[in-house]
């Protein structure tokens, strides 16, 4: 079974609901180690994405992802705008002309996206960034591809992996972004950007599961 | 939270409308939001463009005008502007000699300005960047995103603005920008946190005998919490940190215009030493009374005299703020005759004006 274009659209629309709902929570996380605008910014960005998605729904998955990335880049600001925006813009390159994505293709799409994030932000493992969730997710998806697991359990596993990975950011000392200025005081706090990645993965798993 | 605002969502646009009404020499573009000089681009002069999150007023919009910035891109409060805004603003201010982007070293600012730089380059606009990282509170760049860009940005914008009027080209401005950045050092303290409208609560709470030492300009706590006793004790600690920080090596991301790629360039910050001539900036982080700023300047001048550092020019007031943070930052920029003549050159902006 493959991920359909409709499921991609549903995922992005659902993300806007999730970020609206989790805005306060994300902002609380960011207030502890940043400047308390992450939830606000993600909500503003995905709100715009949802507003504009219908106008690009006729395109292929690549153009939908690219549009999402450009919209996030132009409306989020801060570090999250370029990082989440670049993720979708780079991911779009390998989803060009696709109307559906096999699990192996979806993994490739995410892998390209993450490569874009790393190119922009230069994160390394353990820096306490959103990549500390993306990397385990890529690992989990890679394993599922190898074991030829179906897309629904594969995404459930990836989402569970993201939940676990976000917990590991709590004990890390931030070495990138604004939290890095707090030094050891950043230890003990969950990373807001990493939490947003986890929310996106959980939302994708839920959307695909419901479509069944 | 009790603030003179209507709705959190409309803070920025309402305040910018007020600014343009008060200063007709500025033009505020609404969609996307940026500020330029009403007079338009100056042909043959490199356009100087800066920007960053709002909440640091008068930086940067208050420094748009003759002899300083050609354009400023304000983001949401404490949130850097997006690349499309920076790009659109650059197209408006460019006067055929290219655009210099001044970037404070905060991750969000760096990433958005880097994206805008690439877009401008791809559109055939000559573009260069100068990164400001003057905050000596941040010690080790290996374990952080590097030193933050704080109030030395103001001095750098004035000096580069004057150099652009003098006729310096893009390459000369970049070289001068690196020099100014490597000779300027800042340190900030907070006696009380600021309140970001979107959260509605102070970002941290301090007891009467505590201060946050080494704060930035986004409401974040400092590098550590220290006891606070008196003005002199606080200024002495700040001055010690400024004078003791020593040379500082790090790699700076520099845009290579010929190849259209980012390069890592090793650069070195100079330590302040006896005999140095400086411009001293005592900067209000938000709600510190001017009288207390003068108290800080008094002690700072004593410290400088004792250390053999000569203050040649000074600024005391609100230039690079952090909303309503109760606190102060001190910037010491080592200068020579050339930089002093650029400093004294005429400037005509809402927040800085002399020589006219």
């Amino acid at each position: 079974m493959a991920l359909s274009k409709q499921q991609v659209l549903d995922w992005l629309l659902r993300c806007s609901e999730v970020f609206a709902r989790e805005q306060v929570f994300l902002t609380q996380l960011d207030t502890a180690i940043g400047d308390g605008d992450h939830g606000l910014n993600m909500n503003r960005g995905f709100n715009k994405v949802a507003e504009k998605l219908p106008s690009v729904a006729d395109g292929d998955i690549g153009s939908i992802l690219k549009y999402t990335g450009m919209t996030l880049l132009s409306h989020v600001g801060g570090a999250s705008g370029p990082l989440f925006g670049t993720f979708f813009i780079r991911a779009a390159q390998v989803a060009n002309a696709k109307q559906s994505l096999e699990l192996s293709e979806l993994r490739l799409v995410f892998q390209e996206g993450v490569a874009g994030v790393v190119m922009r932000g230069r994160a390394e493992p353990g820096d306490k960034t959103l990549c500390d969730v993306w990397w385990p997710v890529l690992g989990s998806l890679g394993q599922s591809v190898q074991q030829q697991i179906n897309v629904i359990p594969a995404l459930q596993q990836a989402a569970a992996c993201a939940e676990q990975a976000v917990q590991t950011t709590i004990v890390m000392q931030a070495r990138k972004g604004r939290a890095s200025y707090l030094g050891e005081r950043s230890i003990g706090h969950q990373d807001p950007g990493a939490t947003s990645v986890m929310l996106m993965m959980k939302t994708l798993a839920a959307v695909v599961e419901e479509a069944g | 939270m009790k603030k003179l605002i209507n709705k959190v969502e409309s803070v920025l646009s309402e305040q910018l409308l007020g600014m343009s009404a008060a200063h007709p020499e500025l033009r505020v573009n609404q969609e996307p939001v940026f500020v330029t000089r009403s007079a338009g681009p100056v042909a043959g002069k490199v356009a100087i463009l800066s920007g960053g999150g709002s909440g640091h007023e008068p930086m940067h919009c208050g420094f748009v005008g003759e002899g300083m910035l050609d354009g400023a891109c304000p983001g949401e409060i404490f949130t850097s502007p997006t690349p499309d805004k920076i790009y659109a603003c650059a197209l408006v201010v460019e006067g055929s000699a290219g655009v210099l982007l001044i970037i404070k070293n905060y991750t969000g600012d760096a990433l958005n300005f880097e994206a805008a730089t690439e877009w401008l380059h791809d559109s055939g606009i000559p573009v260069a960047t100068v990164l400001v990282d003057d905050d000596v509170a941040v010690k080790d760049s290996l374990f952080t995103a590097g030193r933050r860009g704080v109030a030395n940005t103001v001095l750098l914008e004035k000096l580069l603005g004057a150099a652009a009027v003098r006729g310096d080209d893009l390459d000369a401005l970049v070289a001068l920008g690196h020099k100014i950045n490597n000779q300027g050092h800042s340190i900030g303290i907070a006696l009380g946190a600021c309140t970001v409208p979107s959260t509605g609560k102070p970002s941290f709470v301090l007891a009467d005998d505590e201060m946050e030492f080494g704060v930035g300009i986004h409401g974040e706590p400092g590098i550590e919490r220290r006891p606070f006793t008196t003005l002199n004790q606080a200024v002495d600690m700040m001055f010690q940190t400024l004078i003791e920080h020593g040379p500082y090596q790090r790699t700076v991301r520099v845009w290579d215009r010929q190849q259209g790629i980012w390069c890592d360039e090793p650069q070195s910050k100079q330590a302040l030493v006896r005999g140095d001539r400086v411009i001293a900036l005592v900067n209000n982080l938000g709600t510190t009374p001017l009288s207390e700023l003068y108290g800080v300047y008094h002690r700072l001048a004593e410290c400088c005299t004792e250390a053999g550092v000569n203050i040649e020019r000074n600024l005391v007031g609100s230039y690079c703020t952090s909303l309503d943070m109760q606190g102060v930052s001190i910037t010491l920029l080592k200068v020579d005759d050339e930089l002093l003549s650029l400093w004294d050159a005429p400037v005509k902006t809402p927040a800085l004006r002399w020589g006219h």
Side-chain angles (χ1 to χ4, degrees):
Chain A
M1 199 187 90
L3 194 73
S4 69
K5 182 176 97 173
Q6 190 54 49
Q7 287 171 324
V8 172
L9 283 167
D10 289 346
W11 170 46
L12 296 168
L13 284 171
R14 186 77 69 85
C15 277
S16 81
E17 292 165 22
V18 169
F19 282 113
R21 199 172 60 226
E22 302 293 345
Q23 178 182 333
V24 174
F25 170 59
L26 289 171
T27 293
Q28 277 169 355
L29 291 179
D30 194 33
T31 303
I33 54 173
D35 58 355
D37 62 357
H38 184 68
L40 193 78
N41 293 344
M42 292 302 283
N43 182 38
R44 185 174 54 237
F46 271 94
N47 203 3
K48 266 283 188 251
V49 169
E51 188 186 308
K52 294 181 165 186
L53 266 185
S55 66
V56 290
D58 289 342
D60 56 66
I61 293 177
S63 58
I64 289 165
L65 294 181
K66 183 166 183 199
Y67 199 78
T68 301
M70 293 303 286
T71 306
L72 293 178
L73 196 63
S74 325
H75 290 94
V76 176
S80 302
L83 295 174
F84 283 89
T86 302
F87 172 81
F88 283 103
I89 292 167
R90 271 287 285 272
Q93 292 174 4
V94 277
N96 241 340
K98 300 271 184 203
Q99 294 293 326
S100 66
L101 297 171
E102 297 293 335
L103 186 63
S104 58
E105 294 173 319
L106 178 69
R107 188 193 178 269
L108 209 61
V109 165
F110 281 0
Q111 184 179 296
E112 266 304 300
V114 174
V117 175
V118 173
M119 178 272 299
R120 241 318 136 238
R122 299 175 161 191
E124 287 172 30
D127 279 352
K128 197 180 181 110
T129 73
L130 65 165
C131 290
D132 287 311
V133 170
W134 272 129
W135 285 315
V137 164
L138 287 183
S140 166
L141 289 174
Q143 222 168 20
S144 296
V145 170
Q146 264 187 356
Q147 294 166 0
Q148 298 184 316
I149 291 175
N150 277 333
V151 71
I152 294 176
L155 286 175
Q156 284 170 338
Q157 234 166 66
C161 179
E163 278 201 270
Q164 210 172 18
V166 97
Q167 293 300 314
T168 66
T169 66
I170 294 175
V171 295
M172 292 174 181
Q173 177 172 338
R175 290 191 298 242
K176 285 279 185 302
R178 205 162 289 168
S180 72
Y181 301 121
L182 294 180
E184 288 179 0
R185 283 203 275 179
S186 65
I187 296 171
H189 298 282
Q190 183 173 323
D191 185 70
T195 307
S196 285
V197 174
M198 183 268 288
L199 290 171
M200 282 166 53
M201 284 311 298
K202 279 180 71 176
T203 306
L204 180 61
V207 164
V208 174
E209 196 181 334
E210 283 166 29
Chain B
M1 174 179 69
K2 186 157 66 176
K3 279 181 184 287
L4 284 169
I5 61 174
N6 293 315
K7 279 188 305 187
V8 169
E9 300 77 33
S10 56
V11 168
L12 184 58
S13 61
E14 285 179 9
Q15 291 175 348
L16 282 171
L17 282 173
M19 187 177 195
S20 64
H23 301 284
E25 68 274 25
L26 301 187
R27 186 181 155 270
V28 177
N29 195 74
Q30 285 293 344
E31 274 294 327
V33 174
F34 58 78
V35 176
T36 60
R37 295 162 62 173
S38 305
V42 183
K45 183 185 89 72
V46 172
I48 311 277
L49 197 164
S50 191
S54 295
H56 308 303
E57 289 70 22
M59 194 172 80
H60 297 277
C61 297
F63 301 131
V64 175
E66 280 178 57
M68 211 159 163
L69 300 179
D70 295 279
C73 295
E76 297 294 322
I77 287 180
F78 289 173
T79 303
S80 64
T82 56
D84 54 314
K85 288 182 188 175
I86 302 163
Y87 178 81
C89 181
L91 293 186
V92 170
V93 298
E94 211 261 334
S96 76
V99 186
L100 181 74
L101 306 179
I102 297 172
I103 312 169
K104 292 185 301 303
N105 192 34
Y106 272 99
T107 306
D109 287 317
L111 297 186
N112 285 286
F113 274 87
E114 281 171 13
T117 302
E118 292 161 19
W119 294 5
L120 286 165
H121 176 83
D122 291 344
S123 306
I125 308 279
V127 58
T129 62
V130 170
L131 192 76
V132 190
D133 61 342
D134 54 315
D135 180 16
V136 301
V138 180
K139 291 293 175 205
D140 191 346
S141 69
L142 291 177
F143 293 97
T144 67
R147 290 186 174 177
R148 298 172 284 212
V150 288
N152 193 40
T153 314
V154 178
L155 308 183
L156 181 129
E157 287 173 1
K158 164 68 183 86
L159 296 167
L160 289 186
V165 170
R166 181 173 70 178
D168 286 18
D169 66 13
L170 215 40
D171 291 334
L173 287 171
V174 169
L176 186 65
H178 287 162
K179 171 178 155 176
I180 297 164
N181 180 43
N182 285 327
Q183 293 182 174
H185 315 288
S186 300
I187 183 82
I189 58 158
L191 305 184
C194 62
T195 300
V196 183
S198 60
T199 59
K201 281 181 288 200
S203 47
F204 53 82
V205 179
L206 287 173
D208 277 352
D209 57 354
E210 290 177 329
M211 63 176 163
E212 280 289 340
F213 191 83
V215 293
I217 53 172
H218 293 96
E220 68 264 46
I223 48 161
E224 56 190 1
R225 193 163 285 192
R226 291 190 183 180
F228 173 81
T229 54
T230 61
L231 158 70
N232 283 5
Q233 172 245 10
V235 175
D236 290 354
M237 275 186 184
M238 295 169 82
F239 186 75
Q240 277 308 314
T241 308
L242 283 171
I243 208 91
E244 280 172 1
H245 74 93
Y248 172 70
Q249 319 284 336
R250 79 277 188 232
T251 55
V252 178
R253 215 170 188 182
V254 177
W255 179 246
D256 182 324
R257 266 191 303 134
Q258 270 60 49
Q259 299 187 64
I261 51 167
W262 293 101
C263 299
D264 279 340
E265 189 178 294
Q267 283 192 22
S268 172
K269 291 230 167 213
Q270 295 179 22
L272 282 168
V273 293
R274 185 168 281 275
D276 274 351
R277 306 156 72 197
V278 297
I279 297 173
L281 165 58
V282 171
N283 172 57
N284 181 11
L285 286 171
T287 55
T288 309
L290 186 55
S291 52
E292 292 181 23
L293 298 181
Y294 282 127
V296 171
Y297 186 79
H298 173 249
R299 182 60 180 178
L300 173 66
E302 285 180 349
C303 291
C304 283
T305 304
E306 284 167 25
V309 170
N310 306 305
I311 300 178
E312 299 273 353
R313 303 286 187 276
N314 68 71
L315 272 183
V316 180
S318 301
Y319 295 99
C320 168
T321 59
S322 185
L323 288 174
D324 52 355
M325 179 173 263
Q326 190 193 351
V328 65
S329 71
I330 295 173
T331 301
L332 295 177
L333 168 64
K334 178 182 164 156
V335 290
D336 50 24
D337 286 341
E338 185 204 7
L339 291 184
L340 281 176
S341 76
L342 289 171
W343 183 253
D344 293 338
V347 60
K348 195 176 178 186
T349 71
L352 214 59
R353 56 173 69 210
W354 56 71
H356 275 275

